[in-house]
Amino acid sequence: MLKRLIEWIEQSDNIVFFGGAGVSTESGIPDFRSADGIFQQGRQISPETILSHDFFFRQPKQFYDFYFEKMIYESAEANATHLLLAKLENLGKLKAVVTQNIDGLHQRAGSRVVLELHGSTARYHCETCQRVFDLATVRQAAAKMAGVPRCHCGGLIKPDVVLYGESLDQTTLMAAVDKIAAADLLIVAGTSLVVYPAAGLIDYYRGDKLVLINASATSYDRRANLLFNSRLQAVVEPLLAHFGA
Ligand code: ZN
């Protein structure tokens, strides 16, 4: 099976990779949905509620306390999957990484065409004047301003992350559709394909080389032309050894 995947990669110059939380967990970044929520006035508040559009504007301090503690992993390093994809892009084989992750590890590993469906914790903007900020600046601002980072204009600074209750960036979504529709080899990994819009995006693929790599079964397993029911690492490390880091 691995041999066939290597052949397909060797033959292709139009690969698209679609990755989910499983890509990041191998860098030690837990799926935030598994995080504990917070207690407020004797009530448990779930991560999904805290990371929602409404909660962000109503309780920015509680939002940012949770966000900095549970969503930011600055010491996390790119793993074999990130390195392999950057390498394949450099070789002219891979045309895009489409990701549901927000940690920016693909760019840190050297990938250039990264379509971040859910945004990124690396970028921020002022809700009032749209000025942009990086993470370090926002952290400093939060520390100086009792936990709520504000712009020089007084506006609230918001992460460029798609919160619950917000729609995806349409430009990013359409770019992902275009890349997937044009791909000859589509590798889908580390996602159970239940989180919107993952499953719908796969439907745009028209080729006959759909590779699925996931530790647990997914409803798309039967559609895969090549299926690896295993951890990502077990598949990627031999590929990295073959194509070079
Ligand atoms: Zn501003």
Side-chain angles (χ1 to χ4, degrees):
M1 278 217 313
L2 200 59
K3 225 180 123 189
R4 183 175 310 165
L5 178 54
I6 288 173
E7 276 171 25
W8 284 359
I9 293 173
E10 275 175 343
Q11 290 160 5
S12 179
D13 62 358
N14 194 354
I15 305 169
V16 170
F17 178 89
F18 184 101
V23 174
S24 292
T25 50
E26 293 188 355
S27 283
I29 299 175
D31 187 345
F32 71 84
R33 278 173 292 263
S34 65
D36 294 329
I38 55 173
F39 273 99
Q40 213 173 46
Q41 293 161 342
R43 278 192 314 130
Q44 169 89 26
I45 303 180
S46 70
E48 284 85 352
T49 299
I50 300 164
L51 298 170
S52 71
H53 181 85
D54 289 350
F55 192 90
F56 173 78
F57 287 100
R58 258 190 296 120
Q59 304 199 45
K61 181 184 174 349
Q62 286 79 2
F63 172 92
Y64 268 113
D65 285 350
F66 180 87
Y67 176 86
F68 284 131
E69 196 191 325
K70 307 277 191 187
M71 307 290 285
I72 303 292
Y73 293 87
E74 274 181 298
S75 59
E77 287 177 12
N79 62 49
T81 302
H82 301 106
L83 297 175
L84 174 72
L85 296 170
K87 178 69 183 182
L88 294 178
E89 184 180 4
N90 266 329
L91 292 171
K93 295 188 160 300
L94 183 118
K95 294 300 182 235
V97 171
V98 180
T99 182
Q100 298 179 283
N101 299 321
I102 56 175
D103 47 53
L105 284 178
H106 286 293
Q107 290 92 333
R108 252 201 270 170
S111 285
R112 293 180 301 271
V113 184
V114 183
L115 299 170
E116 296 168 306
L117 296 173
H118 295 157
S120 174
T121 58
R123 299 186 302 268
Y124 299 78
H125 69 272
C126 168
E127 277 293 301
T128 304
C129 73
Q130 306 303 319
R131 185 180 164 146
V132 298
F133 301 89
D134 63 17
L135 172 60
T137 308
V138 172
R139 246 195 214 278
Q140 278 173 5
K144 272 191 280 181
M145 301 176 193
V148 181
R150 288 190 179 276
C151 177
H152 309 284
C153 80
L156 182 59
I157 297 175
K158 185 175 179 294
D160 286 2
V161 166
V162 179
L163 301 178
Y164 285 95
E166 295 178 341
S167 50
L168 302 190
D169 178 69
Q170 290 303 302
T171 309
T172 308
L173 189 58
M174 292 323 292
V177 166
D178 287 347
K179 296 286 187 191
I180 289 170
D184 65 16
L185 169 55
L186 178 64
I187 303 174
V188 179
T191 170
S192 48
L193 290 169
V194 289
V195 180
Y196 173 82
L201 276 175
I202 307 306
D203 288 335
Y204 286 96
Y205 177 61
R206 292 188 285 238
D208 58 358
K209 290 172 183 161
L210 173 62
V211 180
L212 222 62
I213 311 167
N214 203 50
S216 56
T218 77
S219 55
Y220 273 68
D221 285 3
R222 283 172 52 199
R223 295 232 334 238
N225 302 105
L226 205 49
L227 175 68
F228 296 88
N229 269 140
S230 72
R231 291 194 57 203
L232 200 41
Q233 238 172 13
V235 178
V236 164
E237 276 172 3
L239 294 178
L240 195 58
H242 184 89
F243 290 97

